Amino acid sequence: AAMLRISLVLALLPSAAAFSGAFMPSVGLRGSHPLSIGARRVVLATPSSRSERARIHVSPITRMSYSTKEKGSFPSEEYRCFFEKDGKVVSPWHGIPTWADKDKNIVNAVIEITKNTRPKMEVATKEESNPIKQDMKKGKLRDYPLDIFWNYGMIPQTWENPKHEHPELKAFGDNDPVDIVEIGSSPIPRGQVVSVKALGTLAMIDEGELDWKVIGVSTADPKAKDINSLADLEKAFPGQIDQIRDWFRNYKSNGTYDAAKGWTGITEGQNSFGFNDKCMDEAFTKKVIEETQGFYSDLMAGKVDADGLSLK
């Protein structure tokens, strides 16, 4: 199968403005994917093979580039989305920094699930190089019971420690990187690494485990320049945080969702939220990320049993 390998050297990467009107030739390959750099889009040619495809993406804040290579057909148990940097495979969990700009609460977010889609995709924390795969449940590929209405992913180099009990919430971590919900206007393709202003956090309790849901907006979103706090986020996207809470509260329940009526018929299976359902602000969000960075550092240093997690 045809394969495209693209690597950009960090030190040589030009500014976003330099890409105005730029283009790259197709080099005889069919199909294309857009490369978003700030507000600019550059069309890159990609292989036509469905079993092995390559894409490139750039975090506009940190100026780091990553490409993705998909193996196996989608959807299937064999499907994997691997990440590369400078032509070498990197783990999206271990090989990408947490922060794009810590002073501004901007993290690097690895998008696992594109908004308005249903397959439950996730970074495979127990597989070497941690590619994205589709979750399995009872021997079958797992889908959500309804579309997720936002882009969804994880924050690199964070970890919710299953051996640490939160002193106030009295729940242990869920053994995964911290989840992030990107609330913005546009779908973001699976495997993209995007800079996100992390401005709110819900403390979801799922089957007794603490599963933080950080909420933010991509710096590339048209509204992002005016959003620097949780209050700004709620003003720019009114009602969305309540909808996020409701979605995650009910998606495992026995209820049904209707766009006009909302959730109905629920008798069991709901998740709950700490802090009286409150979405915590940007300062609290930074503390959550910093704490889970600490748990991650302990994991990588061998201070905590990895218990099957792949640290490569």
Side-chain angles (χ1 to χ4, degrees), residues 67-264:
S67 61
T68 54
K69 185 168 67 175
E70 298 171 300
K71 294 186 176 181
S73 60
F74 179 82
S76 72
E77 293 183 34
E78 294 74 31
Y79 173 84
R80 297 292 185 274
C81 178
F82 289 89
F83 289 70
E84 293 184 352
K85 185 178 188 296
D86 297 334
K88 297 180 180 180
V89 174
V90 296
S91 161
W93 187 15
H94 309 306
I96 299 173
T98 303
W99 296 102
D101 188 336
K102 187 174 181 179
D103 290 342
K104 297 180 179 179
N105 262 44
I106 299 174
V107 298
N108 289 310
V110 176
I111 300 301
E112 299 164 307
I113 305 173
T114 301
K115 70 183 297 183
N116 298 323
T117 63
R118 198 165 296 199
K120 176 67 172 73
M121 310 303 294
E122 62 184 17
V123 166
T125 56
K126 294 188 176 182
E127 294 184 16
E128 186 170 340
S129 302
N130 310 122
I132 294 175
K133 68 172 186 177
Q134 189 166 358
D135 190 22
M136 301 283 294
K137 187 174 183 178
K138 297 181 179 180
K140 296 181 179 180
L141 293 171
R142 183 182 172 195
D143 287 342
Y144 288 128
L146 73 163
D147 290 354
I148 186 167
F149 306 135
W150 311 272
N151 299 298
Y152 188 60
M154 51 80 75
I155 301 176
Q157 297 188 31
T158 61
W159 181 56
E160 299 184 49
N161 186 350
K163 296 178 174 61
H164 173 79
E165 184 181 41
H166 190 280
E168 185 173 350
L169 300 173
K170 303 301 180 184
F172 293 84
D174 73 346
N175 201 32
D176 281 325
V178 172
D179 298 324
I180 186 162
V181 182
E182 197 283 320
I183 203 172
S185 310
S186 302
I188 301 174
R190 178 174 58 250
Q192 292 284 300
V193 181
V194 295
S195 298
V196 174
K197 293 183 177 183
L199 302 173
T201 299
L202 294 169
M204 190 174 91
I205 310 298
D206 183 352
E207 297 180 2
E209 295 179 334
L210 177 58
D211 187 3
W212 297 112
K213 303 298 183 188
V214 170
I215 302 172
V217 62
S218 168
T219 57
D221 191 273
K223 297 181 179 181
K225 60 181 174 52
D226 298 319
I227 301 174
N228 296 295
S229 66
L230 177 61
D232 292 340
L233 193 69
E234 292 178 313
K235 182 179 179 180
F237 297 95
Q240 288 295 297
I241 291 175
D242 289 340
Q243 290 185 34
I244 290 169
R245 185 190 301 104
D246 286 347
W247 195 97
F248 281 102
R249 187 193 305 279
N250 297 316
Y251 80 99
K252 286 186 175 182
S253 75
N254 63 343
T256 57
Y257 178 81
D258 180 87
K261 299 178 181 179
W263 292 91
T264 58

Side-chain angles (χ1 to χ4, degrees), residues 238-304:
Q240 288 295 297
I241 291 175
D242 289 340
Q243 290 185 34
I244 290 169
R245 185 190 301 104
D246 286 347
W247 195 97
F248 281 102
R249 187 193 305 279
N250 297 316
Y251 80 99
K252 286 186 175 182
S253 75
N254 63 343
T256 57
Y257 178 81
D258 180 87
K261 299 178 181 179
W263 292 91
T264 58
I266 298 173
T267 60
E268 61 181 9
Q270 289 182 302
N271 293 319
S272 61
F273 292 87
F275 306 114
N276 295 317
D277 285 1
K278 182 180 178 181
C279 186
M280 309 303 283
D281 67 10
E282 61 275 10
F284 185 94
T285 298
K286 178 175 280 189
K287 290 179 181 178
V288 166
I289 296 170
E290 289 174 336
E291 180 182 55
T292 54
Q293 279 186 287
F295 294 151
Y296 173 84
S297 295
D298 289 345
L299 175 68
M300 298 302 289
K303 296 179 181 180
V304 183

